[in-house]
Amino acid sequence: MSDRLHDTPEEWPVTGTERPFQGRVTGVRTDVVTMPDGSRVRRDYQTHPGSVAVVALDERGCVLVLRQYRHPVRQKLWEIPAGLLDVPGEHPLQAAQRELYEEAHVKAADWRVLVDIYSTPGGSDEAIRIFLARDLAAAEGERFAAAEEEAEFEYARVPLDELVRGVLAGELHNSCLAVGVLALRAVLGGDGVEALRPADAPWPARPYEA
């Protein structure tokens, strides 16, 4: 039996639920939760379908990043390709491959699960699976027709260690980029890519049919 720390499922009783807002993709939910001491509290949080993100690593050790305007924080952030699990029945790996194609017109031959996270578990149920993609090549066919903020993407391929330094210096703030590049640096300095989970590894936070 492993002595490593691990998160465990647990659900405190919910005696009432309201949904004051539902947008096109996300919503707001209010639960009345019974605490262990018997008291009841209201918990407001964002409901979210989940997301996937991709650390795309090329043969030179560079990671594909893009810069996008993010209105809530009023900044243009450098990010890794990412997107919502908003296609019913879509496998997370297929969603990640789609996002890499649509956002960067790139395909990859080798896929692994890099890390699974909850983005902000105190205020949202969003779960994110971050994949590692290697053996990159240009995708076939025409580029995906981007719109709105995506039409203004800027692209770069940046050495992994430069991105790690940017995260630690407080210069790069996107959560998926930060978690992804730090996890990859740990992997490369530890047990290696071959020790990562396969691309179709179970994902209890967002179960799917293999």
Side-chain angles (χ1 to χ4, degrees):
M1 179 176 179
S2 173
D3 292 329
R4 292 182 302 182
L5 296 180
H6 59 280
D7 299 329
T8 56
E10 184 166 346
E11 187 169 351
W12 293 353
V14 174
T15 59
T17 295
E18 300 173 6
R19 300 179 184 271
F21 171 77
Q22 179 59 54
R24 183 179 62 86
V25 176
T26 67
V28 174
R29 174 171 166 165
T30 300
D31 287 341
V32 179
V33 183
T34 302
M35 308 296 282
D37 64 2
S39 62
R40 293 181 180 179
V41 297
R42 296 172 66 87
R43 290 289 180 259
D44 304 319
Y45 58 98
Q46 180 194 35
T47 57
H48 195 286
S51 305
V52 292
V54 184
V55 176
L57 184 69
D58 69 16
E59 72 283 354
R60 298 179 295 121
C62 293
V63 175
L64 190 158
V65 293
L66 50 92
R67 190 157 72 152
Q68 180 176 6
Y69 175 66
R70 293 300 191 181
H71 185 72
V73 296
R74 309 301 198 271
Q75 290 194 27
K76 293 184 80 172
L77 301 179
W78 284 104
E79 306 180 353
I80 56 177
L84 299 169
L85 289 169
D86 56 355
V87 177
E90 187 174 35
H91 191 290
L93 175 60
Q94 293 175 331
Q97 293 170 331
R98 172 173 53 84
E99 291 298 335
L100 186 61
Y101 161 71
E102 291 182 357
E103 294 194 350
H105 200 66
V106 167
K107 64 180 181 179
D110 184 82
W111 290 82
R112 314 289 173 107
V113 174
L114 183 56
V115 64
D116 296 328
I117 62 172
Y118 292 113
S119 60
T120 50
S124 173
D125 66 358
E126 180 185 16
I128 305 174
R129 169 157 281 189
I130 303 177
F131 290 89
L132 172 64
R134 299 185 303 164
D135 296 340
L136 307 183
E140 296 88 359
E142 297 182 3
R143 291 190 70 97
F144 178 76
E148 300 174 344
E149 291 95 341
E150 294 184 357
E152 304 299 322
F153 279 170
E154 301 171 51
Y155 298 91
R157 294 197 182 196
V158 182
L160 173 63
D161 286 342
E162 183 176 330
L163 293 174
V164 169
R165 286 192 291 269
V167 170
L168 298 179
E171 299 166 349
L172 299 171
H173 305 90
N174 176 264
S175 59
C176 289
L177 182 148
V179 172
V181 301
L182 293 174
L184 180 55
R185 169 44 56 214
V187 166
L188 296 178
D191 294 334
V193 171
E194 298 304 320
L196 289 173
R197 289 170 290 163
D200 60 353
W203 189 14
R206 292 293 184 274
Y208 61 87
E209 293 186 9

